[in-house]
């Protein structure tokens, strides 16, 4: 069992390099993530859109695809906008509690520059502890719901599924055992990246050069797992309805999108 899980986890990284021309198809992504003034927000928007496209392609058993710039940018803008909407909830809650929240960070940086470290820590340390706790709890709640939205967006082609919180929660509960395995893989990936980034920090120039590629690996592996989770969950639903008899859901998905 452990060997099967290890093999499945490794596939998330191997998938990107199984196509010998992968560098021709993906070269623009690390380039967008390399320069800070391009990475924020353009690189992040692009890689978010690529993640949605990856989930859809893997769900349909497609090999690594060439980047369709316009479609990926559109998907990236959609998911970035929805993510901002999701994170407005803890921001509003912080303000109701009288906390400055994330939006007050830039003003606090200015005050820190003017007033020094002592006054800054005295006034705001408790504020930020409470704020970080609220955002952490919200992240634990909202992240699985948003990921379910990505899966359902890939399935239906309708970006509003990202905002359909009740259906996304039901999808999560119906496939909870598969999501538990996904989050085990997710935590392992994050821990490995943290360890690797910490080691590379010793050689700072090397870290700057490799960080964009590490981000591509991160999003690629997570998208790979979400794609397989989407396919498995979808096949389970379809087989229960007896609408599909093959292992490839492509025809059924295209038919469903056309209605």
């Amino acid at each position: 069992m452990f060997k099967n899980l290890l093999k499945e986890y490794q596939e998330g990284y191997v998938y990107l390099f199984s196509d010998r021309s992968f560098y021709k198809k993906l070269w623009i992504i690390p380039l967008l993530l390399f320069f800070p003034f391009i990475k924020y927000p353009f690189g992040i928007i692009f890689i978010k859109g690529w993640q949605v496209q990856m989930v859809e392609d893997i769900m349909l058993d497609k090999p690594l695809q060439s980047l369709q710039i316009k479609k990926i940018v559109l998907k990236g803008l959609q998911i970035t906008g929805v993510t901002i909407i999701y994170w407005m909830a803890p921001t509003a809650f912080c303000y109701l509690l009288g906390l400055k929240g994330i939006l007050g960070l830039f003003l606090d940086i200015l005050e820190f520059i003017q007033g020094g470290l002592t006054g800054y820590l005295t006034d705001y340390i408790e504020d930020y502890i409470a704020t970080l706790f609220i955002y952490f709890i919200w992240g634990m709640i909202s992240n699985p719901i948003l990921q379910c939205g990505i899966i359902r967006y890939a399935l239906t082609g309708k970006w509003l599924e990202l905002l359909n919180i009740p259906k996304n929660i039901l999808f999560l509960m119906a496939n909870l055992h598969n999501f538990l395995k996904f989050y085990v893989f997710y935590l392992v990936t994050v821990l490995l990246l943290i360890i690797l980034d910490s080691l590379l920090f010793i050689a700072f120039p090397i870290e700057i050069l490799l960080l964009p590629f590490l981000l591509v690996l991160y999003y690629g592996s997570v998208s790979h797992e979400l794609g397989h989770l989407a396919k498995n969950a979808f096949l389970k639903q379809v087989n229960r309805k007896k609408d599909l008899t093959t292992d490839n859901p492509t025809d059924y998905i295209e038919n469903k999108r056309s209605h």
Side-chain angles (χ1 to χ4, degrees), residues 33-170:
L33 296 173
F34 184 78
F35 301 100
F37 56 90
I38 297 178
K39 178 179 179 180
Y40 302 106
F42 304 110
I44 298 300
I45 289 173
F46 192 87
I47 203 168
K48 292 282 187 183
W50 178 62
Q51 182 179 33
V52 177
Q53 189 63 54
M54 279 271 291
V55 172
E56 179 179 333
D57 292 340
I58 292 168
M59 184 173 63
L60 299 177
D61 284 327
K62 291 182 179 180
L64 188 65
Q65 301 292 300
S66 297
L67 299 176
Q68 300 180 22
I69 306 297
K70 291 183 179 179
K71 290 184 178 180
I72 289 176
V73 170
L74 177 60
K75 292 176 187 293
L77 288 171
Q78 290 165 342
I79 193 170
T80 301
V82 171
T83 302
I84 291 173
I85 292 173
Y86 268 71
W87 285 96
M88 287 174 65
T91 300
F93 187 64
C94 284
Y95 276 86
L96 287 175
L97 294 178
L99 302 172
K100 287 193 173 186
I102 298 299
L103 294 179
L105 177 61
F106 296 106
L107 293 177
D108 290 344
I109 292 175
L110 178 61
E111 187 170 338
F112 166 71
I113 294 173
Q114 295 176 344
L117 180 62
T118 303
Y120 178 81
L121 292 177
T122 302
D123 292 338
Y124 298 121
I125 188 65
E126 294 182 0
D127 187 318
Y128 279 122
I129 290 175
T131 298
L132 290 174
F133 178 76
I134 291 171
Y135 274 81
F136 173 77
I137 295 298
W138 179 251
M140 295 290 290
I141 296 171
S142 65
N143 197 42
I145 297 174
L146 183 58
Q147 288 170 334
C148 287
I150 291 174
I151 291 173
R152 297 183 62 250
Y153 177 21
L155 172 62
T156 64
K158 299 176 181 178
W159 72 270
L160 286 175
E161 296 297 342
L162 294 165
L163 289 168
N164 197 329
I165 294 177
K167 283 190 177 181
N168 292 338
I169 292 175
L170 289 174

